[in-house]
Amino acid sequence: MGGTSKVKGRRRSKRGSTRGDRKALTELPKEPKKNPQGKQSRRKSQDKETETQSKTNYSVRQLLSQATDCMDTFNYELAQKFLQRAIEVEPDNLQVLECSGNLLIEVGELEKAKQCFGRAITLSPDAGHSKYMYMGQLFEGDEAVEYFKTGIELMKKEKERQEKEPEAACADNKTTVVTNGDIASAYCSMAEVYLTDSCLAADAEERCKECLEKAIETDKDSAEAYQIMASYWLSKDDKEKAKKFIEQSLSLWLPKMKAIEEDELSSEGPTFDPLNPCSMTYQNRIGTAKILMELEMNEIAEEILEGLLQEDDQVIQVWYMLGLMNVEKKSVESKAPARFFLTMAKKLYLKLRCDDEPVLLHTEELLSVLGPGEGLDESWLKKQEESDSDVTEEDVLSSEDDSDDDEEKVMDRKRKGKEAEEEKMEH
């Protein structure tokens, strides 16, 4: 990449998150969408009608189905009413308890979520790994590790059972097929505990490395495991080994992403999922870019960040990191893109009402050092327009509530993000 950063057209796709990410530059929340008055009235009318139906003699299965449908459309208030009714009917129903715990996580009631999953564990301690994986995400340190360990053991047993009785596993619609990738991802979650919450423990380094080695042994194609292994070696100031592992991680997903962007993807066999072509979540790829920046592999880092910007231009981290990277180039040509990216990060920060003050303060500090430079900015922005870029300040900062079609797009993006998060938590 040259001194300027070409901002390409956006693709909307799902993004997820991971535990830890070394507690730096965590993803900042978006501002809740405001519906126009007419849509609010129609929505309230529909909710009232559906709530009235919840008071009829629905079975627990029907109540659970209704709650799930409401969660899929992010109508958490109504979903909570369906689940409350289901709990009143069957207070010890495992599916209801796990679904309630999931909902409580979504609305930020983490302590109550712990109670739901804890109750599910008490009722069925030897079956169902997902509740343990959720608890591992909700707790920290040694407690989190113990939950992950139990979840991994249950996944191994379930995978063994599914391999011995494949027909029975396929017939059981309530059982999720367990893969080596799922188990490797759980080991990665354990490793990240040792990189974050338990990093000061005497045996943290040894335990972290052991978890990552098990992850790679379980799934040699786990891009996530190689990425965290690179992070591990960076924490030990061994940049040579860190570079080796991050390159291995990149080899497992970046070429495919490039091919997709250029419409040159050939048949990838039965493992290729056209709906989720990248094995690395949005947040994992941000983590990869951070590692690459630390290793001074800025060209690849910039390429990844620009790809992330195409997918979703509402993530402050990406704008901030692109701005920081251009500042660090220390060239005249890089000042204009640095100002643009950092200015966008600041404006998004204020628009989304974020509360990570250090990011805002550092952004303002960098902008102050760069100075105004209006002429350079205008020249650079003109070049961007000539390169057919469709990412403009007005587009990024505009509200997305002007039409029903816009609302559907927003809900679809939120739904995809929720699905990615649920998949990560379950694994």
Side-chain angles (χ1 to χ4, degrees):
M1 296 248 171
T4 61
S5 301
K6 182 178 178 183
V7 183
K8 304 176 184 178
R10 299 181 313 289
R11 295 192 317 277
R12 301 294 191 186
S13 68
K14 73 181 183 180
R15 73 172 190 262
S17 61
T18 60
R19 180 185 179 88
D21 210 19
R22 290 163 55 173
K23 293 189 173 177
L25 293 172
T26 53
E27 183 176 0
L28 302 167
K30 294 185 180 181
E31 179 182 11
K33 184 180 181 308
K34 297 179 181 178
N35 289 321
Q37 178 103 19
K39 295 177 187 175
Q40 282 186 336
S41 300
R42 293 197 300 271
R43 180 66 174 272
K44 288 180 179 178
S45 176
Q46 294 170 353
D47 288 355
K48 185 175 181 180
E49 180 181 351
T50 311
E51 182 182 350
T52 301
Q53 293 175 353
S54 73
K55 297 178 181 178
T56 63
N57 295 325
Y58 275 150
S59 67
V60 169
R61 181 179 60 81
Q62 291 172 319
L63 289 166
L64 189 60
S65 176
Q66 291 283 352
T68 302
D69 289 343
C70 290
M71 290 175 68
D72 286 343
T73 58
F74 302 91
N75 189 352
Y76 297 134
E77 183 178 355
L78 187 55
Q80 197 161 14
K81 291 176 180 177
F82 279 117
L83 289 171
Q84 182 59 42
R85 177 58 181 155
I87 288 177
E88 290 172 1
V89 177
E90 291 186 26
D92 292 339
N93 185 294
L94 294 174
Q95 285 183 288
V96 174
L97 286 169
E98 290 200 29
C99 188
S100 297
N102 186 16
L103 173 62
L104 290 165
I105 289 174
E106 295 290 347
V107 298
E109 297 283 353
L110 302 186
E111 290 302 318
K112 291 182 179 179
K114 290 178 182 178
Q115 294 174 15
C116 283
F117 292 122
R119 179 60 180 164
I121 288 173
T122 299
L123 293 170
S124 180
D126 300 324
H129 65 272
S130 62
K131 53 182 176 285
Y132 288 100
M133 304 311 295
Y134 276 110
M135 290 291 266
Q137 297 285 359
L138 290 168
F139 281 86
E140 297 183 350
D142 292 341
E143 288 180 289
V145 168
E146 290 304 313
Y147 282 118
F148 284 132
K149 282 182 178 179
T150 304
I152 289 172
E153 290 305 312
L154 290 176
M155 277 195 280
K156 288 180 177 178
K157 290 179 181 178
E158 179 58 29
K159 185 173 183 297
E160 184 179 351
R161 183 188 73 83
Q162 291 172 355
E163 289 173 348
K164 289 181 178 179
E165 306 172 10
E167 293 182 1
C170 292
D172 187 358
N173 294 327
K174 296 181 181 180
T175 301
T176 303
V177 175
V178 178
T179 68
N180 287 333
D182 299 333
I183 299 172
S185 185
Y187 277 123
C188 288
S189 295
M190 283 181 60
E192 287 182 323
V193 174
Y194 292 115
L195 280 174
T196 54
D197 306 331
S198 299
C199 63
L200 298 179
D203 60 349
E205 289 186 4
E206 179 184 346
R207 298 297 182 191
C208 179
K209 188 168 182 288
E210 180 183 340
C211 289
L212 292 172
E213 288 173 345
K214 287 182 178 179
I216 294 172
E217 180 183 352
T218 303
D219 181 10
K220 60 181 178 60
D221 293 327
S222 174
E224 181 185 11
Y226 292 111
Q227 179 213 23
I228 302 174
M229 185 68 90
S231 184
Y232 165 81
W233 285 113
L234 266 180
S235 71
K236 293 178 67 64
D237 294 324
D238 192 329
K239 292 190 175 183
E240 184 177 344
K241 289 185 179 178
K243 183 177 180 181
K244 170 188 172 184
F245 280 102
I246 200 63
E247 287 177 343
Q248 179 67 25
S249 176
L250 288 169
S251 70
L252 293 168
W253 65 270
L254 188 57
K256 184 184 293 184
M257 289 296 292
K258 286 183 180 179
I260 292 172
E261 291 175 1
E262 298 169 4
D263 295 325
E264 295 178 357
L265 186 66
S266 59
S267 174
E268 294 291 328
T271 59
F272 172 64
D273 181 359
L275 298 178
N276 184 26
C278 184
S279 59
M280 296 286 277
T281 66
Y282 194 100
Q283 199 68 18
N284 268 336
R285 282 175 276 161
I286 289 179
T288 295
K290 292 176 188 176
I291 293 172
L292 291 169
M293 288 174 69
E294 288 191 58
L295 294 172
E296 299 181 352
M297 300 171 68
N298 290 335
E299 185 174 343
I300 304 177
E302 190 170 19
E303 181 180 354
I304 291 171
L305 288 170
E306 289 178 347
L308 291 170
L309 195 65
Q310 294 173 39
E311 290 187 27
D312 193 333
D313 55 24
Q314 299 288 302
V315 182
I316 297 169
Q317 282 175 286
V318 178
W319 292 99
Y320 167 70
M321 291 172 67
L322 280 167
L324 179 61
M325 185 178 299
N326 277 279
V327 169
E328 291 177 347
K329 290 180 181 179
K330 298 180 180 179
S331 66
V332 175
E333 294 81 5
S334 65
K335 286 185 177 181
R339 286 190 198 92
F340 174 73
F341 291 124
L342 290 170
T343 299
M344 289 304 303
K346 180 178 178 179
K347 289 185 177 181
L348 270 179
Y349 183 101
L350 298 175
K351 175 198 171 188
L352 304 179
R353 300 174 186 176
C354 300
D355 57 3
D356 191 344
E357 190 175 1
V359 169
L360 177 61
L361 292 176
H362 192 218
T363 299
E364 290 177 334
E365 179 185 347
L366 292 173
L367 285 170
S368 177
V369 171
L370 286 168
E374 294 179 359
L376 287 174
D377 288 353
E378 290 175 1
S379 175
W380 181 78
L381 288 171
K382 184 176 180 181
K383 289 181 180 179
Q384 296 305 109
E385 293 173 358
E386 293 173 354
S387 67
D388 296 328
S389 169
D390 70 346
V391 176
T392 65
E393 179 175 339
E394 292 77 14
D395 184 35
V396 174
L397 298 178
S398 65
S399 61
E400 296 182 279
D401 57 2
D402 295 331
S403 68
D404 289 337
D405 288 341
D406 287 335
E407 182 173 6
E408 290 176 3
K409 290 177 181 178
V410 173
M411 296 304 295
D412 183 59
R413 288 174 59 200
K414 290 183 177 180
R415 177 182 61 77
K416 290 179 179 178
K418 176 176 176 291
E419 288 173 353
E421 178 66 15
E422 287 178 347
E423 181 180 357
K424 177 68 180 177
M425 293 283 280
E426 289 174 359
H427 292 171

